[in-house]
Structures are given as C-alpha cells and as structure tokens.
C-alpha cells in the first residue's frame, strides 16, 4: 500500500514538473492541494498541534506553526505553508486557527482539521481559564491590578507593532490610505457595526483593485490551454493503460 | 437560556466578521459585550484581553472568560464553539476550493482590496484596547504616563528588533507592578 501511494505521488509530481517546473500546473505559482499529502496519523496531528498550542507564548503563532509544520515535521514545504497562510489571511477568523484547519484538512481530511483546531485551541483555553480563576481570586488586589495594567499596556504595544508592520508591507497607494482611514473612523471611532461597514467598503476596495481587461483575457486563455493540456494528459494515461493491459491479456 | 442564546449570537457573528484576524473584531466585541449587553466593564474587558496575551495559543481564547462570566462553564464552552466553529468551517471549505482559483486575477484583487480594510480594522482594535489600557481618562496622569511609555517602548523594540513578544509582555507586567502599585 505505501509503495502504491508513493508511486501515485511520484506520478502526480512528475506531471506537475513536466508542465511547470517548480510550480503549479496552471500558473507556476504557489498551490496547496496539488501534491498528495504525506500520510500522518490522526493522533500525531492532534499532538503536534497541541504542543504548538501549549508552547506558543506571546502571539506570533504563525511563526511557531511554520517552525513545527515545515522545519520539524516536514509535513509541508515553504511554498505550501505560504499558500495556506494566504488563505488563512483572506478568510475571516483567526489566522492561526485558519492555517491549522487548512493544514489539518490537507493531512487528514475533515477529521484532521478537527484534530488540528482542537489541538491549537484547547491548551490556551485551559491556560486562560486558570489565569481567570487567579484573576477572580485576587480581584481588587492593587499589586495584581498594577501588574495587569503593565501587561495590558505591553499588549497594546504588541498589536500596534504588528499592525504597523502589516500596514508597511501591504499598503502601496494613496487610495489604500483612504480605505484604511474610512475603516478606522467608521469602526474604531464612530462604532458603526462591522456588517454594514464591510458590505459597503469591501466591494469598493475590491473594485478599486479590479484586474485590467487584458489581464482577465490572458487568464481565461491560460485556463483554456490548461484544460486542453489536462485532457491530453488523461488521454495519454488511458492509452498507456490500454497498452499495458493488451500484452498481459494475450 | 436567553443569555446563552445571546452569547452564541454575538460570538458567532464576530467569528465571521474577523477579517484579517482577531484584532479586527475587538472594537465590535467590546461594544457588544460592554456597552450593549453589559456583561462586563471596560476595565474587565481589557484585563481579560491581557490575560489572553499571557497564555499560549490563539490570542482570542479570552472570549471563554466572557462566556464564563455570563453563564459559567456552559457559557465558556458555548462561546468557544461559537467563536471558532463558523470561521474554521469557512476556512476548511475555502481551503478545499482555493486552488481552483489559482492565478485568477480576481483573487489578487480581493487580496489587495481587503488589505487596507484589514489594517484599518486592526488599528481600530488597537484603539479600542488602548483607550482603556494605555491612555485611560479615568486614571491619574502618572499612571497614564507609565502605560503610554510601556506601550511605545514595546512597539519600538518590536519594530527594531526580533524579540519574543512573550518576554516583552512579561517585562511590561513587571514594570507595571513596580511603577503602578503605589499610585
């Protein structure tokens, strides 16, 4: 069974390499689901994510995930991790749990996704609970309140630094700044609910970044070429199969 | 019962609104739990957030404490499920079909377009917590001076050097304990 699995992976990989050396079938860019994932036991998925969930102090969970999933376990390569991160950043929810779910589902389907999410969430939830009991017990204690004020102020510094870093990396145009300021004023200052803000702002922002007609045309042409290539490949496979059967039967 | 339903409604919606991470929904979470439902005070909200920063794993696990405060263990469990399940289901589904859109120019447009919104919302989150934790009008000038200094120094250190943020959070707590306990 493992040999057949290895052969299947090798076959898929060779096809991918033949079409687009070092990249995706379609564009040569990063992909997530293209190569079959390594076979990992469900319990192993859970334990690795549980370990990450229990040791990742101080935010920056994505860096911990990368270290364990890419460097230590070698479940994904760098590009696959970046592709998972891209999805995790685009869909709503916490980036860390999103990436865990995506990687978990790649490794073990829906059960892998559940194992990964539970593993990453449970240790922190228990820890925060313990701290909460401690907090309730020392309610009104000025020393604890003072320490917690310092922690709160430092936490603001942490999210401010992260925001500035992302802003510096992602934003290039003046129009971006207008959208950024609108989001900040509407939600942060005027306390307007996120639902109407996103319903109005998101389409405007996406439309402002819409692809040029030429770009869209080129994309559709690439898609058509890819599907033609894929059909040819399947035809080839079918012929090979028929040829392999032929001599054996006679 | 009514409280439990409210908890689930509030946090399930927040789960799907958290574009670009948990910080983006902090203002709305604070508004819904503190101002609208009055489940806790603004100071408690910030304290819970700080406790969340002290624990490992995703930095929004502190939602469990809000649930616990409103309706005990059931509340904590319900809030955790309500806050994580919708977005995780969404991520699972999109993760499956994502490669289908590989190279689509529209996908890039969505990513480029959402980036400034995400940053604006994160800034709102910083502002929502910062108004209580860093510059609080109810606190004395000396208290505010200390917390503003802690925030700015932590920000600067993180922008200049690659330091484990957990150490800076701990250092902030120690400095706070030294400087603020007698005020």
């Amino acid at each position: 069974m493992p040999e057949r699995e290895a052969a299947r992976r090798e076959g898929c990989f060779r096809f991918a390499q033949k079409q687009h050396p070092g990249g995706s079938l379609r564009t040569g860019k990063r992909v997530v689901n293209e190569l079959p994932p390594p076979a990992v036991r469900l319990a192993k998925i859970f334990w690795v994510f549980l370990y990450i969930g229990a040791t990742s102090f101080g935010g920056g969970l994505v860096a911990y995930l990368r270290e364990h999933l890419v460097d230590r376990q070698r479940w994904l390569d760098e590009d696959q991790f970046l592709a998972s991160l891209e999805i995790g950043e685009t869909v709503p929810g916490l980036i860390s749990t999103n990436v865990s779910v995506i990687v978990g589902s790649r490794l073990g389907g829906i059960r892998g996704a559940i194992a990964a999410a539970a593993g990453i969430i449970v240790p922190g939830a228990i820890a925060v609970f313990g701290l909460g009991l401690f907090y309730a017990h020392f309610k009104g204690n000025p020393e604890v309140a003072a320490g917690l004020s310092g922690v709160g102020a430092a936490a603001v510094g942490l999210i401010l630094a992260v925001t500035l870093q992302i802003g510096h990396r992602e934003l290039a145009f003046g129009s971006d700044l207008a959208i950024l300021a609108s989001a900040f004023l509407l939600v942060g200052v005027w306390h307007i609910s996120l639902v109407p803000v996103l319903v109005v702002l998101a389409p405007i922002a996406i439309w402002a970044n819409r692809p040029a007609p030429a770009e869209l045309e080129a994309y559709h042409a690439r898609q058509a070429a890819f599907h033609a290539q894929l059909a040819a490949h399947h035809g080839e496979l079918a012929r090979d199969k028929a040829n392999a059967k032929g001599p054996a039967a006679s | 019962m009514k409280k439990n339903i409210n908890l689930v409604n509030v946090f399930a919606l927040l789960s799907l609104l958290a574009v670009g991470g948990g910080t983006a929904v902090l203002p709305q979470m604070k508004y819904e739990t503190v101002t609208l439902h009055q489940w806790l005070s603004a100071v408690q909200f910030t304290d819970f957030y700080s406790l969340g920063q002290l624990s490992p794993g995703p930095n929004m696990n502190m939602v469990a404490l809000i649930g616990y405060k409103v309706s005990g263990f059931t509340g904590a469990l319900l809030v955790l499920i309500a806050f994580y399940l919708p977005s995780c289901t969404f991520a699972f589904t999109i993760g499956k079909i994502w490669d289908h859109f590989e190279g689509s120019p529209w996908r890039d447009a969505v990513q480029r377009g959402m980036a400034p919104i995400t940053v604006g919302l994160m800034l709102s989150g910083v502002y929502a917590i910062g108004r209580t934790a860093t510059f609080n009008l109810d606190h004395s000038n000396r208290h505010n001076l200390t917390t503003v200094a802690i925030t700015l120094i932590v920000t600067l250190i993180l922008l200049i050097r690659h330091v484990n943020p957990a150490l800076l959070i701990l250092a902030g707590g120690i400095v706070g304990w030294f400087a603020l306990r007698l005020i």
Side-chain angles (χ1 to χ4, degrees):
Chain A
M1 204 56 184
E3 287 145 40
R4 200 198 292 173
E5 172 65 19
R8 187 172 73 89
R9 294 193 65 190
E10 184 61 25
C12 289
F13 183 68
R14 267 208 306 259
F15 175 63
Q17 288 288 310
K18 201 170 94 189
Q19 304 301 319
H20 288 276
S24 148
L25 296 184
R26 287 171 210 191
T27 58
K29 278 171 68 178
R30 298 196 289 267
V31 281
V32 191
N33 298 321
E34 198 145 273
L35 299 183
V40 185
R41 299 233 321 263
L42 212 58
K44 176 84 175 164
I45 298 177
F46 179 69
W47 282 115
V48 167
F49 279 92
L50 193 78
Y51 183 83
I52 303 171
T55 55
S56 54
F57 283 92
L61 198 43
V62 169
Y64 286 94
L65 284 168
R66 204 205 72 87
E67 183 194 333
H68 282 272
L69 303 176
V70 179
D71 292 346
R72 294 202 192 176
Q73 303 295 334
R74 298 181 188 280
W75 284 343
L76 312 122
D77 64 27
E78 187 75 44
D79 277 353
Q80 287 168 332
F81 183 77
L82 286 176
S84 310
L85 184 60
E86 217 167 74
I87 307 172
E89 284 172 342
T90 310
V91 299
L94 305 193
I95 296 166
S96 52
T97 51
N98 287 346
V99 171
S100 302
V101 163
I102 291 158
V103 175
S105 84
R106 186 183 138 75
L107 295 170
I110 187 152
R111 285 183 301 172
I114 293 169
I120 203 90
I121 293 167
V122 164
I126 292 173
V128 92
F129 228 89
L131 288 170
L133 293 179
F134 180 81
Y135 172 80
H137 189 256
F138 287 97
K139 209 171 180 178
N141 179 321
E143 311 234 351
V144 172
L148 216 50
S149 292
V151 169
V156 173
L158 170 60
I159 50 178
L160 180 59
V162 171
T163 306
L164 292 176
Q165 275 162 348
I166 294 181
H168 180 73
R169 192 184 69 201
E170 300 277 345
L171 307 179
F173 311 108
S175 59
D176 282 353
L177 223 57
I179 298 274
L180 188 159
S182 317
F184 175 72
L185 286 175
L186 290 167
V187 174
V189 181
W190 296 325
H191 300 295
I192 295 171
S193 169
L194 269 173
V195 181
V197 171
L198 287 176
V199 164
V200 173
L201 270 189
I204 295 176
I206 294 168
W207 187 247
N209 285 287
R210 69 186 176 278
E215 218 178 318
L216 272 174
E217 247 168 59
Y219 169 67
H220 289 309
R222 273 204 308 274
Q223 285 289 89
F226 165 73
H227 284 296
Q229 233 173 16
L230 195 65
H233 173 70
H234 281 302
E236 232 172 75
L237 281 184
R239 261 201 314 282
D240 284 356
K241 216 174 183 180
N243 287 344
K245 250 182 205 159
S250 64
Chain B
M1 194 60 206
K2 185 94 198 312
K3 274 183 173 177
N4 286 343
I5 294 172
N6 281 340
L7 275 177
V8 169
N9 281 340
V10 165
F11 284 95
L13 182 64
L14 289 172
S15 175
L16 288 176
L17 291 176
V19 291
T23 314
V25 283
L26 278 174
Q28 179 137 357
M29 190 185 290
K30 192 177 172 189
Y31 177 76
E32 300 243 359
T33 58
V34 175
T35 315
L36 206 61
H37 291 285
Q38 305 193 330
W39 287 324
L40 69 174
S41 71
V43 173
Q44 281 171 331
F45 186 86
T46 310
D47 284 349
F48 284 0
Y49 186 74
S50 307
L51 294 177
Q53 297 295 321
L54 281 174
S55 50
N59 64 353
M60 297 301 286
N61 275 331
M62 64 88 171
V63 293
L65 292 179
I66 300 178
Y68 184 77
K69 190 160 187 305
V70 175
S71 85
F73 278 107
T74 323
L77 203 63
L78 283 177
V79 163
L80 278 177
I81 293 171
F83 189 65
Y84 285 116
L85 190 61
S87 61
C88 283
T89 310
F90 206 80
F92 179 81
T93 316
I94 300 291
K96 288 272 168 226
I97 60 171
W98 183 261
D99 285 353
H100 185 67
F101 299 106
E102 177 66 37
S104 165
W106 278 108
R107 209 184 78 178
D108 289 345
V110 170
Q111 280 180 330
R112 278 201 309 267
M114 290 308 286
I117 298 181
T118 304
V119 177
L121 293 180
M122 288 176 77
L123 220 50
S124 311
V126 174
Y127 182 62
I129 296 290
R131 265 186 320 165
T132 317
T134 299
F135 192 80
N136 191 331
L137 289 175
D138 297 337
H139 289 159
S140 68
N141 283 340
R142 226 183 109 194
H143 190 291
N144 277 333
L145 207 65
T146 314
T147 45
V148 167
I150 293 174
T151 298
L152 290 183
I153 290 170
V154 167
T155 310
L156 275 179
I157 293 176
L158 284 172
L159 288 181
I160 297 167
R161 293 190 70 113
H162 189 75
V163 187
N164 187 341
L167 296 177
L168 294 176
I169 302 258
L170 269 184
I174 293 168
V175 170
W177 175 70
F178 263 115
L180 299 175
R181 68 193 156 136
L182 300 174
I183 303 178

